[in-house]
PDB file of all heavy atoms in Angstrom:
ATOM      1  N   ILE A 144      76.533  91.100 101.395  1.00 27.00           N
ATOM      2  CA  ILE A 144      76.610  92.521 101.069  1.00 27.00           C
ATOM      3  C   ILE A 144      75.255  93.160 101.310  1.00 27.00           C
ATOM      4  O   ILE A 144      74.236  92.686 100.814  1.00 27.00           O
ATOM      5  CB  ILE A 144      77.017  92.713  99.599  1.00 27.00           C
ATOM      6  CG1 ILE A 144      78.414  92.121  99.385  1.00 27.00           C
ATOM      7  CG2 ILE A 144      77.005  94.158  99.204  1.00 27.00           C
ATOM      8  CD1 ILE A 144      78.822  92.068  97.952  1.00 27.00           C
ATOM      9  N   PRO A 153      81.520 109.779 107.431  1.00 39.00           N
ATOM     10  CA  PRO A 153      82.863 109.321 107.107  1.00 39.00           C
ATOM     11  C   PRO A 153      83.911 110.017 107.961  1.00 39.00           C
ATOM     12  O   PRO A 153      83.762 111.167 108.361  1.00 39.00           O
ATOM     13  CB  PRO A 153      83.027 109.714 105.631  1.00 39.00           C
ATOM     14  CG  PRO A 153      81.643 109.950 105.132  1.00 39.00           C
ATOM     15  CD  PRO A 153      80.845 110.399 106.311  1.00 39.00           C
ATOM     16  N   CYS A 164      96.476  98.592  93.725  1.00 65.00           N
ATOM     17  CA  CYS A 164      95.662  98.891  92.563  1.00 65.00           C
ATOM     18  C   CYS A 164      95.670 100.374  92.267  1.00 65.00           C
ATOM     19  O   CYS A 164      95.515 101.185  93.164  1.00 65.00           O
ATOM     20  CB  CYS A 164      94.227  98.424  92.791  1.00 65.00           C
ATOM     21  SG  CYS A 164      93.201  98.583  91.338  1.00 65.00           S
ATOM     22  N   SER A 187     105.925  80.610 106.589  1.00 66.00           N
ATOM     23  CA  SER A 187     107.027  79.689 106.350  1.00 66.00           C
ATOM     24  C   SER A 187     108.337  80.456 106.307  1.00 66.00           C
ATOM     25  O   SER A 187     108.353  81.656 106.029  1.00 66.00           O
ATOM     26  CB  SER A 187     106.809  78.956 105.024  1.00 66.00           C
ATOM     27  OG  SER A 187     105.597  78.248 105.034  1.00 66.00           O
ATOM     28  N   ILE A 225     107.665  69.640  97.131  1.00 98.00           N
ATOM     29  CA  ILE A 225     107.918  70.403  98.364  1.00 98.00           C
ATOM     30  C   ILE A 225     108.756  69.575  99.335  1.00 98.00           C
ATOM     31  O   ILE A 225     109.680  70.087  99.977  1.00 98.00           O
ATOM     32  CB  ILE A 225     106.593  70.848  98.999  1.00 98.00           C
ATOM     33  CG1 ILE A 225     105.891  71.887  98.108  1.00 98.00           C
ATOM     34  CG2 ILE A 225     106.839  71.438 100.395  1.00 98.00           C
ATOM     35  CD1 ILE A 225     104.518  72.283  98.595  1.00 98.00           C
ATOM     36  N   ALA A 239      99.317  81.920  85.604  1.00 98.00           N
ATOM     37  CA  ALA A 239      98.384  82.894  85.033  1.00 98.00           C
ATOM     38  C   ALA A 239      97.102  82.961  85.850  1.00 98.00           C
ATOM     39  O   ALA A 239      96.589  84.055  86.155  1.00 98.00           O
ATOM     40  CB  ALA A 239      98.075  82.527  83.581  1.00 98.00           C
ATOM     41  N   ARG A 243      95.756  86.299  88.108  1.00 98.00           N
ATOM     42  CA  ARG A 243      94.440  86.904  87.866  1.00 98.00           C
ATOM     43  C   ARG A 243      93.570  86.868  89.119  1.00 98.00           C
ATOM     44  O   ARG A 243      92.861  87.837  89.428  1.00 98.00           O
ATOM     45  CB  ARG A 243      93.770  86.183  86.696  1.00 98.00           C
ATOM     46  CG  ARG A 243      94.441  86.464  85.360  1.00 98.00           C
ATOM     47  CD  ARG A 243      93.956  85.583  84.239  1.00 98.00           C
ATOM     48  NE  ARG A 243      94.709  85.861  83.014  1.00 98.00           N
ATOM     49  CZ  ARG A 243      95.066  84.942  82.125  1.00 98.00           C
ATOM     50  NH1 ARG A 243      94.718  83.677  82.315  1.00 98.00           N
ATOM     51  NH2 ARG A 243      95.765  85.282  81.051  1.00 98.00           N
ATOM     52  N   ALA A 250      91.249  93.828  97.602  1.00 97.00           N
ATOM     53  CA  ALA A 250      90.123  94.516  98.226  1.00 97.00           C
ATOM     54  C   ALA A 250      90.152  96.021  98.010  1.00 97.00           C
ATOM     55  O   ALA A 250      89.136  96.692  98.182  1.00 97.00           O
ATOM     56  CB  ALA A 250      90.091  94.212  99.724  1.00 97.00           C
ATOM     57  N   SER A 271     118.646  88.322  86.652  1.00 97.00           N
ATOM     58  CA  SER A 271     119.699  89.338  86.678  1.00 97.00           C
ATOM     59  C   SER A 271     119.077  90.726  86.602  1.00 97.00           C
ATOM     60  O   SER A 271     118.005  90.917  86.011  1.00 97.00           O
ATOM     61  CB  SER A 271     120.678  89.141  85.522  1.00 97.00           C
ATOM     62  OG  SER A 271     120.117  89.583  84.292  1.00 97.00           O
ATOM     63  N   LEU A 285     104.471  97.329  76.194  1.00 98.00           N
ATOM     64  CA  LEU A 285     103.341  96.456  75.896  1.00 98.00           C
ATOM     65  C   LEU A 285     102.071  96.940  76.588  1.00 98.00           C
ATOM     66  O   LEU A 285     100.981  96.889  76.011  1.00 98.00           O
ATOM     67  CB  LEU A 285     103.665  95.025  76.331  1.00 98.00           C
ATOM     68  CG  LEU A 285     104.781  94.324  75.558  1.00 98.00           C
ATOM     69  CD1 LEU A 285     105.143  93.006  76.235  1.00 98.00           C
ATOM     70  CD2 LEU A 285     104.383  94.090  74.112  1.00 98.00           C
ATOM     71  N   GLY A 290      98.545 103.620  73.610  1.00 98.00           N
ATOM     72  CA  GLY A 290      97.548 104.445  74.303  1.00 98.00           C
ATOM     73  C   GLY A 290      96.355 103.644  74.787  1.00 98.00           C
ATOM     74  O   GLY A 290      95.682 104.063  75.726  1.00 98.00           O
ATOM     75  N   PRO A 294      95.740  95.724  80.936  1.00 98.00           N
ATOM     76  CA  PRO A 294      96.220  95.165  82.199  1.00 98.00           C
ATOM     77  C   PRO A 294      97.293  94.113  81.934  1.00 98.00           C
ATOM     78  O   PRO A 294      97.101  93.204  81.119  1.00 98.00           O
ATOM     79  CB  PRO A 294      94.966  94.544  82.821  1.00 98.00           C
ATOM     80  CG  PRO A 294      93.815  95.218  82.130  1.00 98.00           C
ATOM     81  CD  PRO A 294      94.302  95.495  80.738  1.00 98.00           C
ATOM     82  N   PHE A 299     108.719  87.708  87.547  1.00 98.00           N
ATOM     83  CA  PHE A 299     110.111  87.288  87.504  1.00 98.00           C
ATOM     84  C   PHE A 299     110.340  86.159  88.518  1.00 98.00           C
ATOM     85  O   PHE A 299     109.405  85.635  89.097  1.00 98.00           O
ATOM     86  CB  PHE A 299     111.023  88.483  87.773  1.00 98.00           C
ATOM     87  CG  PHE A 299     110.938  89.539  86.703  1.00 98.00           C
ATOM     88  CD1 PHE A 299     110.194  90.697  86.900  1.00 98.00           C
ATOM     89  CD2 PHE A 299     111.580  89.377  85.488  1.00 98.00           C
ATOM     90  CE1 PHE A 299     110.093  91.665  85.909  1.00 98.00           C
ATOM     91  CE2 PHE A 299     111.491  90.333  84.487  1.00 98.00           C
ATOM     92  CZ  PHE A 299     110.754  91.481  84.700  1.00 98.00           C
ATOM     93  N   LEU A 316     106.878 101.482  88.230  1.00 98.00           N
ATOM     94  CA  LEU A 316     107.920 101.487  87.201  1.00 98.00           C
ATOM     95  C   LEU A 316     108.182 102.895  86.688  1.00 98.00           C
ATOM     96  O   LEU A 316     109.306 103.217  86.302  1.00 98.00           O
ATOM     97  CB  LEU A 316     107.526 100.567  86.046  1.00 98.00           C
ATOM     98  CG  LEU A 316     107.407  99.075  86.374  1.00 98.00           C
ATOM     99  CD1 LEU A 316     107.101  98.283  85.107  1.00 98.00           C
ATOM    100  CD2 LEU A 316     108.660  98.552  87.051  1.00 98.00           C
ATOM    101  N   ASP A 376     112.772 106.853  76.862  1.00 97.00           N
ATOM    102  CA  ASP A 376     111.659 107.744  76.511  1.00 97.00           C
ATOM    103  C   ASP A 376     110.499 106.984  75.876  1.00 97.00           C
ATOM    104  O   ASP A 376     109.330 107.324  76.106  1.00 97.00           O
ATOM    105  CB  ASP A 376     112.148 108.835  75.553  1.00 97.00           C
ATOM    106  CG  ASP A 376     113.074 109.831  76.235  1.00 97.00           C
ATOM    107  OD1 ASP A 376     113.071 109.889  77.472  1.00 97.00           O
ATOM    108  OD2 ASP A 376     113.804 110.546  75.516  1.00 97.00           O
ATOM    109  N   LEU A 380     105.300 106.773  78.294  1.00 98.00           N
ATOM    110  CA  LEU A 380     104.402 107.726  77.647  1.00 98.00           C
ATOM    111  C   LEU A 380     103.855 108.687  78.703  1.00 98.00           C
ATOM    112  O   LEU A 380     103.365 108.268  79.750  1.00 98.00           O
ATOM    113  CB  LEU A 380     103.243 106.992  76.973  1.00 98.00           C
ATOM    114  CG  LEU A 380     102.158 107.867  76.340  1.00 98.00           C
ATOM    115  CD1 LEU A 380     102.735 108.721  75.223  1.00 98.00           C
ATOM    116  CD2 LEU A 380     101.002 107.012  75.834  1.00 98.00           C
ATOM    117  N   PRO A 387      89.650 121.858  78.636  1.00 98.00           N
ATOM    118  CA  PRO A 387      88.800 122.144  77.481  1.00 98.00           C
ATOM    119  C   PRO A 387      88.292 123.579  77.416  1.00 98.00           C
ATOM    120  O   PRO A 387      87.958 124.077  76.332  1.00 98.00           O
ATOM    121  CB  PRO A 387      87.631 121.163  77.637  1.00 98.00           C
ATOM    122  CG  PRO A 387      87.592 120.847  79.101  1.00 98.00           C
ATOM    123  CD  PRO A 387      89.024 120.871  79.537  1.00 98.00           C
ATOM    124  N   GLY A 390      92.410 128.043  78.394  1.00 98.00           N
ATOM    125  CA  GLY A 390      93.662 127.938  77.662  1.00 98.00           C
ATOM    126  C   GLY A 390      94.890 128.093  78.537  1.00 98.00           C
ATOM    127  O   GLY A 390      95.952 127.538  78.246  1.00 98.00           O
ATOM    128  N   GLY A 396     102.249 123.746  82.662  1.00 98.00           N
ATOM    129  CA  GLY A 396     103.303 122.782  82.340  1.00 98.00           C
ATOM    130  C   GLY A 396     103.152 121.443  83.040  1.00 98.00           C
ATOM    131  O   GLY A 396     104.147 120.779  83.346  1.00 98.00           O
ATOM    132  N   ALA A 404     102.109 101.269  86.801  1.00 98.00           N
ATOM    133  CA  ALA A 404     102.590  99.898  86.993  1.00 98.00           C
ATOM    134  C   ALA A 404     103.213  99.760  88.385  1.00 98.00           C
ATOM    135  O   ALA A 404     104.330 100.228  88.622  1.00 98.00           O
ATOM    136  CB  ALA A 404     103.603  99.536  85.916  1.00 98.00           C
ATOM    137  N   GLY A 428      90.633 108.701  86.686  1.00 98.00           N
ATOM    138  CA  GLY A 428      91.047 110.097  86.669  1.00 98.00           C
ATOM    139  C   GLY A 428      91.307 110.703  88.028  1.00 98.00           C
ATOM    140  O   GLY A 428      92.237 111.500  88.197  1.00 98.00           O
ATOM    141  N   GLU A 430      92.594 109.435  90.604  1.00 98.00           N
ATOM    142  CA  GLU A 430      93.897 109.067  91.171  1.00 98.00           C
ATOM    143  C   GLU A 430      94.922 110.162  90.909  1.00 98.00           C
ATOM    144  O   GLU A 430      95.746 110.500  91.753  1.00 98.00           O
ATOM    145  CB  GLU A 430      94.368 107.751  90.550  1.00 98.00           C
ATOM    146  CG  GLU A 430      95.760 107.318  90.953  1.00 98.00           C
ATOM    147  CD  GLU A 430      95.777 106.546  92.254  1.00 98.00           C
ATOM    148  OE1 GLU A 430      94.694 106.106  92.687  1.00 98.00           O
ATOM    149  OE2 GLU A 430      96.858 106.380  92.829  1.00 98.00           O
ATOM    150  N   GLU A 447      97.265 126.994  93.332  1.00 98.00           N
ATOM    151  CA  GLU A 447      97.694 127.550  92.052  1.00 98.00           C
ATOM    152  C   GLU A 447      96.548 127.555  91.048  1.00 98.00           C
ATOM    153  O   GLU A 447      96.328 128.554  90.331  1.00 98.00           O
ATOM    154  CB  GLU A 447      98.867 126.724  91.514  1.00 98.00           C
ATOM    155  CG  GLU A 447      99.539 127.301  90.289  1.00 98.00           C
ATOM    156  CD  GLU A 447     100.792 126.539  89.908  1.00 98.00           C
ATOM    157  OE1 GLU A 447     101.197 125.607  90.637  1.00 98.00           O
ATOM    158  OE2 GLU A 447     101.386 126.885  88.864  1.00 98.00           O
ATOM    159  N   LEU A 454      89.335 132.450  91.943  1.00 98.00           N
ATOM    160  CA  LEU A 454      88.419 132.106  93.024  1.00 98.00           C
ATOM    161  C   LEU A 454      88.771 132.854  94.303  1.00 98.00           C
ATOM    162  O   LEU A 454      89.924 133.205  94.545  1.00 98.00           O
ATOM    163  CB  LEU A 454      88.469 130.594  93.283  1.00 98.00           C
ATOM    164  CG  LEU A 454      88.102 129.695  92.101  1.00 98.00           C
ATOM    165  CD1 LEU A 454      88.226 128.230  92.506  1.00 98.00           C
ATOM    166  CD2 LEU A 454      86.688 129.991  91.607  1.00 98.00           C
ATOM    167  N   SER A 493      82.589 103.098  89.071  1.00 98.00           N
ATOM    168  CA  SER A 493      81.771 102.679  90.202  1.00 98.00           C
ATOM    169  C   SER A 493      80.632 101.772  89.750  1.00 98.00           C
ATOM    170  O   SER A 493      80.326 100.754  90.393  1.00 98.00           O
ATOM    171  CB  SER A 493      81.213 103.905  90.935  1.00 98.00           C
ATOM    172  OG  SER A 493      82.244 104.674  91.503  1.00 98.00           O
ATOM    173  N   PHE A 496      81.999  98.369  89.018  1.00 98.00           N
ATOM    174  CA  PHE A 496      82.328  97.583  90.199  1.00 98.00           C
ATOM    175  C   PHE A 496      81.076  96.924  90.770  1.00 98.00           C
ATOM    176  O   PHE A 496      81.129  95.779  91.243  1.00 98.00           O
ATOM    177  CB  PHE A 496      83.006  98.450  91.257  1.00 98.00           C
ATOM    178  CG  PHE A 496      83.485  97.673  92.447  1.00 98.00           C
ATOM    179  CD1 PHE A 496      84.456  96.700  92.304  1.00 98.00           C
ATOM    180  CD2 PHE A 496      82.952  97.906  93.710  1.00 98.00           C
ATOM    181  CE1 PHE A 496      84.893  95.960  93.403  1.00 98.00           C
ATOM    182  CE2 PHE A 496      83.395  97.176  94.804  1.00 98.00           C
ATOM    183  CZ  PHE A 496      84.369  96.212  94.649  1.00 98.00           C
ATOM    184  N   SER A 539      94.218  86.958 105.042  1.00 94.00           N
ATOM    185  CA  SER A 539      94.831  85.656 104.795  1.00 94.00           C
ATOM    186  C   SER A 539      94.437  85.057 103.453  1.00 94.00           C
ATOM    187  O   SER A 539      94.964  84.010 103.068  1.00 94.00           O
ATOM    188  CB  SER A 539      94.450  84.682 105.916  1.00 94.00           C
ATOM    189  OG  SER A 539      93.069  84.363 105.863  1.00 94.00           O
ATOM    190  N   TRP A 550     114.233  92.354 103.448  1.00 82.00           N
ATOM    191  CA  TRP A 550     115.263  91.325 103.506  1.00 82.00           C
ATOM    192  C   TRP A 550     115.865  91.273 104.906  1.00 82.00           C
ATOM    193  O   TRP A 550     115.946  92.262 105.612  1.00 82.00           O
ATOM    194  CB  TRP A 550     116.360  91.642 102.487  1.00 82.00           C
ATOM    195  CG  TRP A 550     116.141  90.945 101.192  1.00 82.00           C
ATOM    196  CD1 TRP A 550     115.512  89.742 100.990  1.00 82.00           C
ATOM    197  CD2 TRP A 550     116.512  91.420  99.898  1.00 82.00           C
ATOM    198  NE1 TRP A 550     115.502  89.425  99.660  1.00 82.00           N
ATOM    199  CE2 TRP A 550     116.114  90.432  98.963  1.00 82.00           C
ATOM    200  CE3 TRP A 550     117.158  92.557  99.431  1.00 82.00           C
ATOM    201  CZ2 TRP A 550     116.349  90.562  97.594  1.00 82.00           C
ATOM    202  CZ3 TRP A 550     117.374  92.678  98.074  1.00 82.00           C
ATOM    203  CH2 TRP A 550     116.966  91.688  97.155  1.00 82.00           C
TER     204      TRP A 550
END
Side-chain angles (χ1 to χ4, degrees):
I144 298 171
C164 187
S187 301
I225 292 175
R243 290 170 184 143
S271 76
L285 293 171
F299 295 101
L316 296 184
D376 290 342
L380 176 62
E430 175 85 15
E447 188 173 356
L454 301 179
S493 296
F496 185 63
S539 68
W550 266 331

